[in-house]
């Protein structure tokens, strides 16, 4: 069985396992109160060019999103998300569980634009209505789309104009940063958003995300908020130990190497399926490829390949999602292309 | 100043004040544990033809909606509302405050139909997604629209087919039940929904709604849920005393008389503004009339009339909402028609 | 049946009903956006000597407590209450429903003292623990006890020293202010606390409490918080219309007259039962009298009198609570004393 | 620096790291939908003698407690915890964050007994009060105390008599099960409680707890509840891979070996400090030793040893907590004993 199911079907990249093994028998204090946490936070601050940024290490994307958003909002405030956004679609109402509305904003292509945001703002009138206070985006989008510098700048300006906080979910941010047409650096992102996270779970680590707060107003008793959400890892150093191995070297880091690998194979896969006569559901970017396939062929492919059937396309066809992970090999891609 | 602002610009109808005065010096136990509560509940059960229904008396529509919905849902479940629904638009996130998502479903005209509901159901896949478990509608809709028997029956069947609870917010239900084309009786409604309330606040009472639970699964420690939401009135009998005076007599009740009065004057008003050359924003039903007016004329009218400017229509025109209440007089309507 | 059950077995004092009748047919805007609200708030500000205080009108004590406390606290903060406090004992977890802990502090006699507070403060260590941020008291206490000026001053100083907000629940505050030994004025209270409310429901009104915020940090989007808690009354003016009739005249107000009446009859009752050889459970203050009675005599009394059996005292005796309300007459008291 | 600070100052036991390495490059589905999860759950079911038990794998103790408790309770219900219990003292109000009260019950020695529970039950009267519905205990207690079979049986019978669910937090359960005087087996525990967890984080794993539900009523959409609490690990198999290595072999498992090691060294430490003339704060059981020490000596010891100063004892002395972990060596213990 060959896996195109998700970004997390393997353990961690061997270099990360090595880092865990190498530090395994060192005693430290728990809960991220350790030198690995300090050093990795420093490394990240330097990488993004923000010496005063606050850095927190989290186990996964869902707790990162929930803690950040629920910490930022007062009870009567809500967050705007693309209707395809992870917090709206795939987190079982964790934001609502903390008492906040997620405003689901329809978008053209998964990217939130100023006009999409401004439509939601009309919702707010007075004390009978929820105040939209934060904007949530994923970069790349849930469908793999890469925001351009112009797009993110426009969104950022829109947010600042309306007093909205801008938060970026970077679960797969490495694949955006290394996408061939990308024109946004981490430093530029850090100037345009109020908070974002660099995700490790989906690109090489066992787990672990680095949350970066760039707006001091967000950093109120944040460790209390993490713990209250049950998201403070006892052996906290496990996250920075992994992320240090992953992020070290910046542009040349393992993180960027793995991201490029994913993008390269995904391009090969996308070109291959199109060459074989299939249509993509949406234009391809980064490590996810969405292909329209006849239902009976999907059933056939499922015997050898493990992937998601994303949604029906028409009566006879469905959309499948193929995810290229850091562990996907060229052989895997070739096997799929041969099978279709 | 003549008021077309809302349904609650006056106190209560004189007959209701009389009922409060007549019972004022009688001692009873608090928190709706009194004979007025029992008698009025019995009267309502007979009226709707459901001898086993559970009846609770609530102070207003928002607590009624929130307690009913949050009591019915498990933490991972949400409620589907028309995108114009009161719980989505005008209750400051009270449902989310209790940890539940409100799925906002776009509709053609404010009425929720099976196809609208079924689109939301696609949202649910597995444990990463919120389960839509209840459907919320207002009758008449927020814009005054009256569900037909065929429409409500279809929606009810859709809900039962999919295991969804159906809950009707009847803040202004009297105006629907007495609307000239109405073909739905209270007894039929009671057969089609799992819960609904008959609103007193907006039709003649100082305050007070009668919530009716028709599905026993909804009646779990309900008084605990009311109290937890801070919505158990100490002098609880004030609600049934008013509602008894309002509902007594069924079709000939004060409630139906006031509702008919509102509808009659609203028809006169709607016909009058159209006769004067203005267009309605949406087809008129029940006691709200939405008129497209030039902005400068609106400014002029605001000197003598108090009403809501609902939303912009185009650059030069806006939509105003004119609400006819039980206390609106024919003179009020004539004054407005004369002013335009 | 003679009622010593609670403070709310009747409707409202006739003068309050008169005020409601007199204003019943006046049109105003809803949700406390009306001139009655403005005027009554001004009257209260003058009464308490705080021209800049924020005044909000609420339907009952439980929503007042919950909105005030949940508005003041960040998610990781809690409120300290005497273990007998209303929010801990009789509000079905409304504070916890908003995500906050109530720290239950044992007290000697229902009054919270600095040492009781400071014991709770030890609970807080770091991000693994809830931060106690507010202190909640009732005045008089749930058992009727009246804080002296020295006691409230000491508590206030303790709170300011430790950065704690002090909030006073004044559901029956009139009975404290008119108690023979009372040495605290409303103006002094307003200088010592961050927020408090003057309760109408339990002393003469149909319902209605005036919440007073004296610390600007508490007044953040407060009307949003009220609405989100489902506690914004549509016909909001009903509250200030009643409270104006109740509070007008300050020391000579109907509120103080009714409070004195309650205290006077309660003293007569307490002296009477003691004269008849019964022991009080706790020293008597204000309008509640707690008497130790043999269980069989309680059963006998219940045939003619309606009251609470508060708790068992020993195998053969229980504590009963007798509440004197504004509507209790000297004849009621005499009838009880004759019956024992 | 020698660590007696906590149970989690190291990574994982080498055998667990081996298991992670050995399975690292195997592809599986995420979120515990993998064969490791199935196999380890089966192993646990056999170990505890409950073939129908539901087993869930969680990252840490706090999410395990919060998901289990919030899943079991209706909104108006609360959980009883010893006043020293982890959910009351060290989880930043995570239970309250889900809307539920934690009733803090004072105990003699950290162990909850029927009389302690029954005192809390008196709290519940009617719909104005929270219903205590679940009992939470840790085994061993937060201070290391081991429940005897007689004690747990009595508590279990009390719970069943009163319709209370009994839930055991087994963060360090291995040390209780291997304590010399222990007379309770895992199978017996599984017969006496409704749910419990066997903790891996504090005894040898990087992280990971096995939650076991023995009462079907607790197993309602449990994976939804885990995800909603942000506690569903993407690479879920990391937990069962570790726990399999830890639990394999039952009585001879690595888990029991490490637990015995902790107990043995803790006994040596406790005897040593007493032999050196120091007094224990409480009688010693399992892997935590609480010693009363002069404050100036504590300051001296802190130069070479890392431990918690638990609480003041008197003006000159404090209580320190020494935790023996699976990685503590006999040399570490000897070094401490030599230093005092």
């Amino acid at each position: 069985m060959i896996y195109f199911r998700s970004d997390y079907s393997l353990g961690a990249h061997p270099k990360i396992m090595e880092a865990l093994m190498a530090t395994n028998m060192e005693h430290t204090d728990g809960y991220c109160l350790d030198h690995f946490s300090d050093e990795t936070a420093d490394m990240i601050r330097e990488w993004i060019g923000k010496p005063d940024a606050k850095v927190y290490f989290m186990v996964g994307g869902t707790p990162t999103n929930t803690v950040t958003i629920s910490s930022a909002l007062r009870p009567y405030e809500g967050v705007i998300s693309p209707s395809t956004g992870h917090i709206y679609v795939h987190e079982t109402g964790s934001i609502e569980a903390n008492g906040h509305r997620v405003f689901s904003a329809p978008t053209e292509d998964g990217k939130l634009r100023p006009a999409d945001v401004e439509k939601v703002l009309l919702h707010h009138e007075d004390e009978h209505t929820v105040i939209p206070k934060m904007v949530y985006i994923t970069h790349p989008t849930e469908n793999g789309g890469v925001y351009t510098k112009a797009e993110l700048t426009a969104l950022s300006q829109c947010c600042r104009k309306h007093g909205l906080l801008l938060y970026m979910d970077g679960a797969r941010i490495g694949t955006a940063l290394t996408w061939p047409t990308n024109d946004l650096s981490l430093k530029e992102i850090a100037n345009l958003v109020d908070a974002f996270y660099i995700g490790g779970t989906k690109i090489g680590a066992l787990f672990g995300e680095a949350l970066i707060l760039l707006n001091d107003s967000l950093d109120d008793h944040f460790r209390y908020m993490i713990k209250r959400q049950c998201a403070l890892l006892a052996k906290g150093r496990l996250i920075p130990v992994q992320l240090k191995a992953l992020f070290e070297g910046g542009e040349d880091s393992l993180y960027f190497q793995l991201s490029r690998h994913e993008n390269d194979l995904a391009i090969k896969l996308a070109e291959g399926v199109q060459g074989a006569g299939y249509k993509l559901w949406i234009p391809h970017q980064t490590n996810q490829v969405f292909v329209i396939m006849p239902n009976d062929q999907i059933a056939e492919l499922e015997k050898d390949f493990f992937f998601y059937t994303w949604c029906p396309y028409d009566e006879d066809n469905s959309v499948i999602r193929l995810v290229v992970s850091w562990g996907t090999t060229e052989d895997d891609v070739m096997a799929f292309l041969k099978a279709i």
Side-chain angles (χ1 to χ4, degrees), chain A residues 268-294:
Chain A
K268 192 157 291 186
L269 185 61
E271 289 176 353
V273 294
Q274 289 177 98
Y278 297 91
K279 282 199 178 143
L280 301 189
W281 182 46
I282 48 171
H284 166 243
Q285 287 191 306
T286 64
N287 73 320
Q288 301 179 79
V289 182
F290 294 86
V291 191
I292 302 164
M293 284 256 166

Side-chain angles (χ1 to χ4, degrees), chain A residues 23-307:
Chain A
T23 58
N24 188 54
M25 296 306 288
E26 181 178 335
H27 287 274
T28 65
D29 200 359
Y31 302 115
C32 292
L33 301 173
D34 61 86
H35 72 91
F36 298 112
S37 294
D38 295 343
E39 290 157 15
T40 307
D42 283 344
M43 199 184 82
I44 291 170
R45 279 187 278 261
E46 199 185 323
W47 192 19
I48 63 170
K50 291 283 179 190
D52 297 328
K54 296 297 187 308
V55 178
Y56 295 96
F57 298 108
M58 307 287 297
V59 169
T62 299
T64 309
N65 291 336
T66 300
V67 174
T68 305
I69 293 169
S70 66
S71 182
L73 302 181
R74 287 274 297 157
Y76 46 81
E77 294 175 338
V79 58
I80 302 172
S81 164
S83 61
T84 50
H86 208 261
I87 58 167
Y88 190 69
V89 177
H90 278 119
E91 302 191 355
T92 321
S94 296
I95 305 301
E96 290 91 345
N98 278 278
H100 301 288
R101 173 169 297 171
V102 182
F103 290 98
S104 162
T107 66
E108 206 178 297
D109 57 1
K111 284 185 191 170
L112 205 64
R113 293 182 175 82
D116 306 321
V117 169
E118 283 167 356
K119 246 178 248 161
V120 176
L121 294 184
L122 294 175
H123 175 90
H124 177 235
E125 290 173 31
D126 56 20
E127 61 266 30
H128 297 260
T129 49
V130 178
I131 303 180
K133 182 66 190 171
M134 185 178 241
V135 166
Y136 164 92
I137 57 171
T138 41
H139 180 55
T141 69
E142 297 301 317
N143 294 340
V146 178
Y147 281 89
T148 64
K149 192 186 298 190
E151 287 168 340
L152 190 64
T153 303
L155 188 63
S156 174
Q157 286 170 347
C158 164
C159 288
R160 285 171 189 178
K161 177 176 156 199
H162 295 295
L164 295 163
L165 297 161
L166 179 56
Y167 167 55
M168 177 188 280
D169 175 336
R172 296 185 181 102
I173 199 171
T175 62
L177 293 169
T178 58
W179 184 249
T181 65
N182 173 57
D183 64 351
L184 262 173
S185 69
L186 265 184
K187 287 185 185 180
E188 287 164 333
I189 289 172
N191 278 326
L192 293 170
V193 304
D194 295 285
F196 74 112
Y197 81 83
I198 309 176
T201 301
K202 292 192 170 175
I203 309 182
L206 291 179
F207 55 84
E209 335 289 321
L211 171 67
I212 296 146
L213 303 183
L214 299 149
N215 179 328
D216 275 354
S217 78
L218 295 176
D219 191 41
D220 168 23
H221 291 77
F222 207 80
R223 285 172 59 84
Y224 287 78
M225 292 299 294
I226 298 175
K227 178 66 186 175
R228 182 181 184 264
Q229 188 61 41
C230 312
L232 196 58
L233 189 65
K235 301 188 178 178
R237 100 268 190 100
L238 297 174
I239 306 170
V241 163
Q242 293 183 77
L243 295 189
K244 200 179 170 196
L246 202 51
F247 296 161
E248 213 150 40
E251 302 299 300
D252 300 321
S253 63
L254 179 59
Y255 193 63
F256 274 56
Q257 290 168 31
L258 298 181
S259 298
R260 279 190 203 99
H261 169 84
E262 294 186 10
N263 284 337
D264 290 348
L265 284 191
I267 289 169
K268 192 157 291 186
L269 185 61
E271 289 176 353
V273 294
Q274 289 177 98
Y278 297 91
K279 282 199 178 143
L280 301 189
W281 182 46
I282 48 171
H284 166 243
Q285 287 191 306
T286 64
N287 73 320
Q288 301 179 79
V289 182
F290 294 86
V291 191
I292 302 164
M293 284 256 166
N295 292 333
D296 50 2
Q297 187 173 6
I298 291 173
E300 194 60 33
L301 284 167
E302 282 175 338
K303 293 177 188 161
D304 296 315
F305 300 92
F306 190 46
F307 54 83

